[in-house]
Amino acid sequence: MGSAAPHSAPWLLLLLLLLLRAERPRGAELTFELPDSAKQCFHEDVEQGVRFSLDYQVISGGHYDVDCYVQDPLGNTVYRETKKQYDSFTHQAEVKGVYQFCFSNEFSTFSHKTVYFDFQVGDEPPILPEMGNRVTALTQMESACVTIHEALKTVIDSQTHYRLREAQDRARAEDLNSRVSYWSVGETIALFVVSVSQVLLLKSFFTEKRPTGRAVHS
């Protein structure tokens, strides 16, 4: 009974190596500050026929909206949206070259934004060698590797989603806290002014007014 662990060690090592060698599509993931009345562009070299995807979301600032557009190497606009809080876009490159995707906050004159985007190029390679060309069924260990790999991808996507939601909710909470603080200060000042005015008004009611005319002597 005690020899089960040594026999399972090579399989666990193989599973770990397969998971570690799994690669993600080439791309970039970034969170950046976008000032008011500003535009920020990024560039990525894409081969012809390769599919790429863009996911973005405004985390904080203003009405949580931003303009976004994507241009191919010839200058043609393949995607354009205005004042979007979040969106996803997938496109297959028809021309080889440098693709440009830009985020614009030029419509806002006083509020800056915090924007997150995930730009991925190409499809994810199979976790197992020659997995796409196999005609036989996967072994139990290979099936376990694929299942765990898909579960890990789901966990990563969920963590990214919850991280963005947490950052957005925190920004909204801080903005609400600032507004409540300013409103409280304004109410305090207004209450002080009203109290002083009432005191002065009541004092004027009980102030004795003496006649100022001169007495007439006979």
Side-chain angles (χ1 to χ4, degrees):
M1 296 180 60
S3 61
H7 288 292
S8 61
W11 293 104
L12 294 177
L13 181 59
L14 176 61
L15 175 61
L16 179 60
L17 291 176
L18 289 175
L19 292 177
L20 289 178
R21 74 178 298 272
E23 300 177 358
R24 296 193 64 186
R26 179 172 55 90
E29 185 178 7
L30 182 65
T31 301
F32 66 97
E33 296 285 339
L34 185 61
D36 53 283
S37 303
K39 180 176 68 174
Q40 184 70 41
C41 294
F42 302 88
H43 305 81
E44 186 70 29
D45 190 12
V46 182
E47 297 290 334
Q48 183 179 6
V50 176
R51 185 182 302 273
F52 64 88
S53 63
L54 173 64
D55 300 326
Y56 65 92
Q57 179 178 344
V58 180
I59 299 177
S60 65
H63 295 287
Y64 300 88
D65 53 356
V66 70
D67 296 344
C68 179
Y69 66 89
V70 180
Q71 290 184 339
D72 63 11
L74 301 179
N76 300 321
T77 301
V78 297
Y79 170 83
R80 179 182 293 273
E81 289 291 343
T82 59
K83 296 185 178 181
K84 296 284 289 187
Q85 294 184 355
Y86 59 89
D87 200 10
S88 299
F89 170 70
T90 303
H91 180 74
Q92 187 171 358
E94 300 177 356
V95 181
K96 176 184 177 181
V98 177
Y99 282 74
Q100 174 181 256
F101 57 101
C102 300
F103 300 94
S104 174
N105 193 30
E106 295 175 323
F107 60 88
S108 179
T109 57
F110 59 89
S111 61
H112 73 280
K113 311 291 176 59
T114 302
V115 183
Y116 162 85
F117 75 86
D118 183 12
F119 188 83
Q120 299 296 331
V121 180
D123 297 325
E124 183 180 8
I127 184 176
L128 300 175
E130 300 180 356
M131 181 177 175
N133 301 325
R134 294 185 58 173
V135 294
T136 58
L138 298 177
T139 64
Q140 184 177 1
M141 180 59 64
E142 291 173 342
S143 300
C145 292
V146 174
T147 302
I148 294 176
H149 180 62
E150 295 297 330
L152 289 177
K153 289 198 304 181
T154 302
V155 170
I156 293 175
D157 294 338
S158 299
Q159 287 180 339
T160 302
H161 171 73
Y162 290 131
R163 178 167 53 86
L164 294 176
R165 287 291 302 272
E166 187 273 335
Q168 190 177 59
D169 293 341
R170 184 177 66 249
R172 289 182 176 178
E174 292 176 352
D175 180 63
L176 180 61
N177 180 59
S178 300
R179 295 186 180 185
V180 171
S181 300
Y182 292 146
W183 180 260
S184 300
V185 172
E187 284 188 333
T188 302
I189 295 175
L191 182 62
F192 177 77
V193 172
V194 170
S195 301
V196 172
S197 301
Q198 289 179 345
V199 170
L200 295 177
L201 182 62
L202 291 175
K203 184 178 180 181
S204 65
F205 288 160
F206 295 98
T207 301
E208 181 181 359
K209 297 182 179 180
R210 296 182 180 179
T212 58
R214 296 180 178 180
V216 180
H217 299 279
S218 58

